[in-house]
Amino acid sequence: MEAQGSYKPGLEGVVAAETEVSYLDVEAEEIVIKGYDLIELAEKRQYLDLVGLLLEGELPSNQRKKEIEWILQKEYQLQDEILEILRLLPKETHPMDALRTGISILSGYDHTIDDRTESGNREKAMRLLGKIPTLVASSYHLLNEEDVIDPRTELSFSANFLYMMTGREASALEVDVFDQSLVAYSEHEMPNSTFAARVIASTHADIYGALTGAVSSLKGHLHGGANEAVMRMLLEADTIEGFKKLIYDKLQNKERIMGFGHRVYMKKMDPRATLMKKALRSLAKEKDNFTLYDMCEAGEQVMKEEKGLYPNLDYYAAPVYYMLGIPIDLFTPVFFAARTVGLAAHVMEQHSHNRLFRPRVNYTGPRHLHP
Ligand SMILES: CC(=O)SCCNC(=O)CCNC(=O)[C@H](O)C(C)(C)COP(=O)(O)OP(=O)(O)OC[C@H]1O[C@@H](n2cnc3c(N)ncnc32)[C@H](O)[C@@H]1OP(=O)(O)O
Ligand SMILES: O=C([O-])CC(=O)C(=O)O
């Protein structure tokens, strides 16, 4: 069959959009978010600063940041009916699937759902940013037949999110590390989930539909689901020697090691993984427990020697979340909660100068058959 155009499996290297949101500058080893370096933002600012930057176009003043926090706080509480629907889900439902359901339900409560203007989408994004952490934490507790933990507005955004998941007030270091992880996960150019959201938004579908599609994409182990898979691997291995053996065995069986490799970085360390490795070290110090840190370092070494592959963000975020006491089933939902802001910025941009995504194929099937 004659080729109709060049085809790149997995669309590797294909430019799918022009964007002012973010860019991975691999040469400079910089994740550019609206002109700022993401790692510098994670070290010097907080997640709510990213909300201001990504949704309003500039880093907020302290006063504006407070206002953003109030806007989100007003949205923390979920409608009783939503909690009731979550309670009725089969107990085997994965929290990512419960989150997908929850976001779908929220669309029915939005009386301005057809408003796709920039300000309309910004309002919806703020509503979702306030509600999604409560949705994440509550769905987990309900699926485990536990009482939901009510949000607390006297805590900071990140401290409250952590509290609703774990049921205990975290230390200052734990809150800082968690907030840093939310910044690290907040936005990353054109991963599969963002592409999915933009493709959906390009039909003029609303932000709820776009985000629901993104949750489905992010659940996969080749994407966000890797953080949960990394933690299960570490627990199965139990010791440094056990972890090295597990990796060697998997490589022998031609299996992929979760938390390593990346379509864009591949032969370099993901800068966000370096950030989370430092965070893991400070947590290990505070808790006087270096087991996971040492295991991860040993695994990193094996993968470098055996495959020339480096950790991505999920590899070091997983043990960080475990040490913060977050249930493993919630690792990927937390990733999504953090990414909501980046996804919203992309949906806003797509709606503001849209062209429908509709690519072509190189047909390799038969022709001229007759029924
Ligand atoms: C925050 C995030 O979402 S980051 C991504 C999280 N996902 C993971 O950690 C899952 C594990 N990693 C992977 O599967 C891949 O590295 C991906 C999916 C992230 C990127 O994949 P791609 O860009 O499509 O690379 P591709 O699958 O073509 O791999 C290229 C080669 O590297 C190998 N490879 C890539 N990643 C891994 C890995 N984690 N373990 C073992 N081998 C790997 C592949 O087997 C392939 O080898 P081959 O050429 O001998 O067949
Ligand atoms: O960029 C990607 O392909 C995946 C990723 O690291 C992310 O979504 O944070």
Side-chain angles (χ1 to χ4, degrees):
M1 183 57 54
E2 196 184 317
Q4 292 152 4
S6 66
Y7 162 58
K8 294 278 180 97
L11 302 184
E12 181 167 8
V14 171
V15 172
E18 283 190 340
T19 181
E20 291 180 359
V21 179
S22 68
Y23 172 64
L24 307 188
D25 187 338
V26 182
E27 286 309 306
E29 300 194 32
E30 194 179 325
I31 302 163
V32 185
I33 310 282
K34 297 236 173 224
Y36 296 92
D37 174 8
L38 179 74
I39 303 303
E40 227 181 297
L41 288 171
E43 285 168 344
K44 297 192 181 143
R45 296 287 193 138
Q46 293 171 318
Y47 184 70
L48 292 181
D49 289 300
L50 268 287
V51 173
L53 180 62
L54 283 162
L55 298 187
E56 298 178 341
E58 55 185 46
L59 281 173
S61 63
N62 284 340
Q63 177 57 27
R64 182 61 196 151
K65 196 156 77 167
K66 264 262 147 275
E67 286 162 10
I68 291 175
E69 189 157 32
W70 289 329
I71 295 170
L72 301 193
Q73 283 176 350
K74 274 195 269 151
E75 299 295 336
Y76 281 178
Q77 209 70 43
L78 290 175
Q79 293 82 345
D80 287 345
E81 293 83 356
I82 295 187
L83 293 174
E84 205 41 48
I85 293 170
L86 292 175
R87 206 187 303 277
L88 291 172
L89 292 178
K91 298 295 172 253
E92 295 72 25
T93 305
H94 190 282
M96 271 305 262
D97 297 328
L99 176 60
R100 199 184 55 216
T101 303
I103 294 173
S104 264
I105 307 168
L106 282 174
S107 68
Y109 289 90
D110 188 334
H111 303 302
T112 60
I113 191 149
D114 290 327
D115 181 355
R116 290 177 202 82
T117 60
E118 199 171 299
S119 60
N121 272 335
R122 190 178 298 115
E123 271 176 35
K124 291 177 204 312
M126 292 286 190
R127 239 175 271 152
L128 284 159
L129 280 165
K131 288 224 162 4
I132 284 177
T134 321
L135 202 50
V136 165
S138 304
S139 64
Y140 176 83
H141 295 307
L142 291 170
L143 290 168
N144 285 280
E145 300 184 75
E146 299 166 2
D147 290 335
V148 297
I149 299 174
D150 287 330
R152 283 173 51 187
T153 50
E154 80 279 14
L155 297 177
S156 69
F157 174 82
S158 298
N160 172 60
F161 189 4
L162 201 44
Y163 165 74
M164 286 192 297
M165 290 187 285
T166 64
R168 71 174 178 87
E169 260 188 62
S171 71
L173 176 77
E174 288 176 316
V175 174
D176 274 357
V177 161
F178 184 58
D179 190 82
Q180 251 191 14
S181 82
L182 297 182
V183 175
Y185 271 132
S186 64
E187 166 56 21
H188 206 237
E189 198 210 69
M190 194 55 73
N192 188 290
S193 47
T194 304
F195 185 48
R198 288 193 76 132
V199 168
I200 295 169
S202 82
T203 67
H204 281 178
D206 55 71
I207 192 169
Y208 298 92
L211 262 61
T212 308
V215 178
S216 308
S217 156
L218 200 77
K219 186 186 176 198
H221 282 178
L222 296 189
H223 194 1
N227 60 9
E228 175 179 332
V230 166
M231 198 58 231
R232 298 206 189 280
M233 217 166 48
L234 285 164
L235 291 182
E236 184 191 332
D238 198 34
T239 60
I240 294 181
E241 283 317 308
F243 193 42
K244 285 165 125 176
K245 181 173 177 334
L246 186 142
I247 294 178
Y248 285 127
D249 288 350
K250 279 188 185 290
L251 290 180
Q252 189 88 33
N253 293 334
K254 303 258 175 276
E255 285 178 51
R256 279 164 192 253
I257 312 299
M258 295 296 114
F260 285 91
H262 193 282
R263 172 65 64 80
V264 182
Y265 305 116
M266 216 42 142
K267 300 286 175 197
K268 277 185 178 171
M269 180 107 159
D270 176 341
R272 303 167 301 169
T274 309
L275 179 84
M276 280 299 102
K277 185 176 177 179
K278 277 191 212 151
L280 180 62
R281 197 174 164 75
S282 23
L283 277 180
K285 229 169 170 178
E286 181 173 87
K287 293 175 190 291
D288 194 21
N289 182 352
F290 282 83
T291 308
L292 285 173
Y293 183 85
D294 292 341
M295 285 174 77
C296 286
E297 263 213 321
E300 188 183 329
Q301 197 55 33
V302 172
M303 285 300 281
K304 195 164 142 191
E305 286 162 11
E306 294 295 312
K307 297 287 290 184
L309 285 175
Y310 292 85
N312 57 51
L313 170 57
D314 285 334
Y315 185 68
Y316 277 107
V320 163
Y321 284 174
Y322 191 76
M323 290 197 84
L324 291 174
I326 300 173
I328 300 171
D329 276 356
L330 288 188
F331 288 10
T332 317
V334 169
F335 178 167
F336 186 86
R339 182 58 56 85
T340 302
V341 68
L343 288 164
H346 279 279
V347 171
M348 280 162 68
E349 190 177 65
Q350 187 66 41
H351 280 166
S352 70
H353 31 277
N354 186 56
R355 183 129 200 257
L356 178 79
F357 278 98
R358 203 302 186 189
R360 294 297 314 276
V361 297
N362 280 345
Y363 179 66
T364 58
R367 289 287 301 272
H368 308 306
L369 299 180
H370 300 286

